[in-house]
Amino acid sequence: MNTGGMIFMALSWGLILFLSAICFIRMIKTGNSESTGPDDMPD
Amino acid sequence: MSQEREKWGSRIGIILAVAGSAVGLGNFLRFPAKATLNGGGAFIIPYFVAFLLLGIPLMWIEWTLGRYGGKSGHGTAPGIFDSLSKNRTLKYIGAIGVLGPFIILIYYMYIESWTLAYTFYSFSGELLRTPDQNSMKEFLAGYQGLKSNNYFSNLGPAYIFFILTFAANFYFIYKGIQGGIEKLSRWGMPLLIIIGIILAIRVLTLGTPDSALPEQSINNALGFVWNPDFSQLLNAKVWLEAAGQIFFTLSVGIGVILTYASYLGSKDDVVLSGLTSSSLNEFCEVILGGSIVIPAAFVFFGGAGAIAIAESGTFNIGFISMPLIFEKIPFGFVFSGLWFLLLFIAGITSSVSLIQPMIAFLEDEFKFNRAKSTIILGIVAFLASQPAILFLENGFLDELDFWGGTVFLILFATVEVFIFLFVMGFKKGWEEMHSGGLMRVPRFYKFIIRYITPAFLLILLGFYSYQQFIPVIFLEGVSEADKPYIWGARALIFGFLLIFLFMIYYAWKRNANNGKGEVV
């Protein structure tokens, strides 16, 4: 694998892992992982 | 009397269910082949551009429309579209969003059953006793009933595995959203990811299996997949191939996300949930899918062999090349079994999502209960699956795939975007999208959703019309003997379209008479 290949692989993997991590961390930080149903959340 | 609609038990449940619907055979077979044939690492540039400009917006639009429909008790496109406008024709246009997944379903479960069978034949050791490529092709042809040979004398085994797969699918559907689909996804998706990681690690630690061929190392294999060929970026076809891959991998435009999102609460988040399910799909596709098939093929068959495999099509990669590769690895039967188990899990989490729209249609618009809907749809789907099984060699299945898996997808996605922009109205849609949102969509997406995504879709529609639709519709390259079967498949699709249109007409008329709906 040449340098370009390494860069593209690292960037692609990094971007996807970063995006996944951000999404899951944000979900965990919001606390309630249970579905709230229509009337349980304030506006 | 209208019954209470079901709800997802947890946020992670619907995220895994949507990701399960999106992660299918294409993640592990189609993506690596497309990337290899279209510029290697450079392919990832148009791929990510399409992900940001086409995939993510479509995903958010479908989640938003689905949750909106759920508020008024509609989980499929006819009801959702109708609830947005007084225009009486919109609900009939929505028929594509129920017909599409049903058409895919009636052949997809058969393909899924092959993966279950190959899991069994791998672990039993029978599959890896086939010594070469021709024997592996014979094994597959015998199993599919295309010929009687040393391996199989009839369709019996294929039928048994089809019935097992069919029963498993309808069992999970019968158990409902929380007890069936959500439970399947909560167990299935982590298992799929674990198996994918095991297989990827096995491939990435292959080193140089044949010391006489030092160039066939795993390092060179990764270079084969990832070394960028920037000249390919000047080729418009590469950009459209990348857009097509994003489109198909995220399961947008089928109608299943509409239905899944309709079981959300009215204030449940759709923005972060949609993005999370998409990122999970990308993890399975780029990181796992890109690390298994083509690198393994390169290590054992060299660059020319890997290209030949990538060009040989999805089924050949999955069912012929991969078992041959596993034959060359110690304890290959275990890895082969895990490979097909991975494909089976990817398949079943997708196929249950294809069943659910029709179930939701029967429950929401005809007020059938879950058991009645499951039995009726089970009987119809079983009967409708038979031609795809019996006339496989005559192109019946391919024709269903062309209409259900390509034409209806792109058409329906285009319809959804225009409904979101011009029927719901962008302003209302944007507000609806953010209702209950755990994150805000970046403001530049206002411009992307209004202008770029529809333009991208229309270009994609034009590209597919030019490249695929016209030649296939006019039966170019189809033998005279197969033409009756192709027309038979079209008659089946057209027949179901008429039935769905009539069902919509009848349901709305009945509900209007009962004072529960609008006039037809």
Side-chain angles (χ1 to χ4, degrees):
Chain A
M1 182 158 52
N2 63 27
T3 311
M6 280 184 215
I7 291 171
F8 269 92
M9 186 175 162
L11 276 178
S12 305
W13 282 39
L15 198 66
I16 289 166
L17 289 173
F18 177 73
L19 182 64
S20 305
I22 289 287
C23 287
F24 277 102
I25 287 169
R26 196 144 185 173
M27 264 187 22
I28 292 164
K29 274 173 80 175
T30 55
N32 177 20
S33 70
E34 297 306 306
S35 182
T36 52
D39 304 317
D40 299 344
M41 273 181 79
D43 284 324
Chain B
M1 190 180 135
S2 77
Q3 56 207 353
E4 187 72 18
R5 289 189 95 239
E6 290 183 86
K7 290 266 181 267
W8 295 101
S10 64
R11 193 181 302 142
I12 193 69
I14 182 178
I15 288 169
L16 291 175
V18 172
S21 170
V23 175
L25 274 58
N27 291 57
F28 299 96
L29 302 173
R30 194 173 186 267
F31 168 76
K34 289 281 176 196
T36 304
L37 297 174
N38 291 287
F43 180 77
I44 217 75
I45 294 175
Y47 179 83
F48 277 133
V49 169
F51 179 63
L52 294 173
L53 301 183
L54 185 67
I56 293 291
L58 280 173
M59 176 70 93
W60 279 330
I61 287 173
E62 236 182 283
W63 276 75
T64 304
L65 287 173
R67 187 187 56 179
Y68 180 85
K71 288 182 200 173
S72 53
H74 297 292
T76 48
I80 295 171
F81 291 178
D82 190 60
S83 67
L84 285 165
S85 164
K86 288 182 178 167
N87 186 327
R88 294 177 196 176
T89 56
L90 283 181
K91 58 180 173 288
Y92 297 106
I93 294 172
I96 316 170
V98 186
L99 178 67
F102 179 75
I103 296 298
I104 300 173
L105 173 73
I106 60 181
Y107 67 84
Y108 192 89
M109 274 191 296
Y110 184 46
I111 297 168
E112 186 185 319
S113 72
W114 303 352
T115 63
L116 182 63
Y118 270 55
T119 306
F120 172 78
Y121 292 126
S122 294
F123 283 125
S124 72
E126 203 169 329
L127 181 64
L128 300 198
R129 280 198 284 272
T130 44
D132 52 37
Q133 190 170 12
N134 283 336
S135 309
M136 204 60 85
K137 283 182 179 170
E138 282 287 305
F139 190 96
L140 182 60
Y143 176 78
Q144 292 170 334
L146 302 181
K147 58 168 73 169
S148 176
N149 55 30
N150 292 335
Y151 299 107
F152 299 97
S153 57
N154 56 50
L155 253 179
Y159 232 90
I160 291 169
F161 283 105
F162 172 68
I163 288 170
L164 287 174
T165 304
F166 190 92
N169 271 280
F170 277 85
Y171 168 78
F172 287 114
I173 287 295
Y174 172 72
K175 297 300 278 182
I177 294 292
Q178 276 190 41
I181 296 172
E182 187 169 343
K183 201 169 268 184
L184 171 70
S185 307
R186 288 182 81 129
W187 282 94
M189 287 307 291
L191 184 60
L192 178 146
I193 290 170
I194 290 168
I195 294 173
I197 290 172
I198 291 171
L199 289 171
I201 289 174
R202 177 67 279 236
V203 171
L204 295 177
T205 53
L206 280 171
T208 310
D210 188 347
S211 55
L213 297 167
E215 72 281 3
Q216 288 180 208
S217 66
I218 192 63
N219 186 43
N220 287 343
L222 289 174
F224 183 74
V225 177
W226 286 101
N227 288 347
D229 174 5
F230 291 110
S231 67
Q232 292 282 343
L233 294 180
L234 299 174
N235 185 349
K237 185 173 164 287
V238 171
W239 286 80
L240 290 163
E241 290 283 5
Q245 178 61 26
I246 278 294
F247 192 85
F248 294 119
T249 189
L250 290 176
S251 277
V252 286
I254 301 177
V256 299
I257 297 172
L258 275 186
T259 301
Y260 273 8
S262 76
Y263 295 105
L264 284 167
S266 62
K267 296 283 173 60
D268 279 345
D269 161 80
V270 296
V271 179
L272 181 61
S273 302
L275 193 62
T276 308
S277 63
S278 304
S279 68
L280 202 53
N281 178 69
E282 292 311 299
F283 174 83
C284 292
E285 177 149 298
V286 177
I287 297 182
L288 299 181
S291 303
I292 299 174
V293 174
I294 300 298
F298 181 93
V299 164
F300 289 106
F301 300 113
I307 286 187
I309 287 170
E311 287 174 337
S312 67
T314 304
F315 291 153
N316 277 336
I317 296 172
F319 293 93
I320 293 171
S321 303
M322 287 306 286
L324 285 171
I325 289 167
F326 289 122
E327 275 183 0
K328 299 173 190 296
I329 296 175
F331 299 104
F333 71 100
V334 175
F335 292 105
S336 178
L338 288 175
W339 165 251
F340 286 109
L341 182 60
L342 169 114
L343 294 184
F344 177 69
I345 297 168
I348 195 168
T349 48
S350 299
S351 56
V352 292
S353 77
L354 295 167
I355 302 174
Q356 186 56 33
M358 194 62 205
I359 294 284
F361 181 69
L362 294 174
E363 287 182 334
D364 297 337
E365 315 306 346
F366 285 86
K367 313 302 173 200
F368 288 176
N369 63 30
R370 171 73 51 165
K372 191 173 176 183
S373 309
T374 306
I375 290 169
I376 291 173
L377 184 61
I379 292 169
V380 174
F382 187 82
L383 294 175
S385 299
Q386 302 312 305
I389 298 172
L390 299 172
F391 308 133
L392 179 69
E393 65 181 320
N394 305 105
F396 202 97
L397 187 151
D398 292 334
E399 189 66 13
L400 294 178
D401 181 45
F402 168 71
W403 290 97
T406 307
V407 177
F408 291 158
L409 246 76
I410 298 178
L411 269 181
F412 189 62
T414 310
V415 166
E416 279 181 315
V417 170
F418 282 90
I419 293 268
F420 181 82
L421 290 177
F422 302 114
V423 179
M424 183 179 233
F426 177 76
K427 192 166 177 287
K428 183 181 173 188
W430 184 262
E431 284 168 10
E432 175 65 30
M433 192 182 283
H434 286 88
S435 169
L438 294 174
M439 65 172 274
R440 283 203 69 79
V441 176
R443 290 177 66 84
F444 61 83
Y445 263 101
K446 282 188 174 183
F447 180 78
I448 290 173
I449 291 174
R450 285 170 108 161
Y451 303 108
I452 305 290
T453 306
F456 215 142
L457 267 173
L458 290 175
I459 292 170
L460 205 58
L461 196 61
F463 167 70
Y464 276 102
S465 301
Y466 171 74
Q467 194 199 43
Q468 286 190 12
F469 294 175
I470 293 170
V472 176
I473 287 168
F474 290 101
L475 301 173
E476 284 179 19
V478 177
S479 71
E480 287 300 320
D482 287 343
K483 282 182 180 174
Y485 297 95
I486 302 298
W487 284 110
R490 290 177 184 185
L492 185 76
I493 295 167
F494 188 65
F496 275 118
L497 175 63
L498 290 180
I499 291 169
F500 285 146
L501 289 173
F502 177 74
M503 285 171 77
I504 293 168
Y505 170 82
Y506 180 79
W508 260 257
K509 188 175 180 185
R510 199 185 67 154
N511 289 341
N513 289 340
N514 292 341
K516 292 176 186 168
E518 295 172 11
V519 288
V520 182

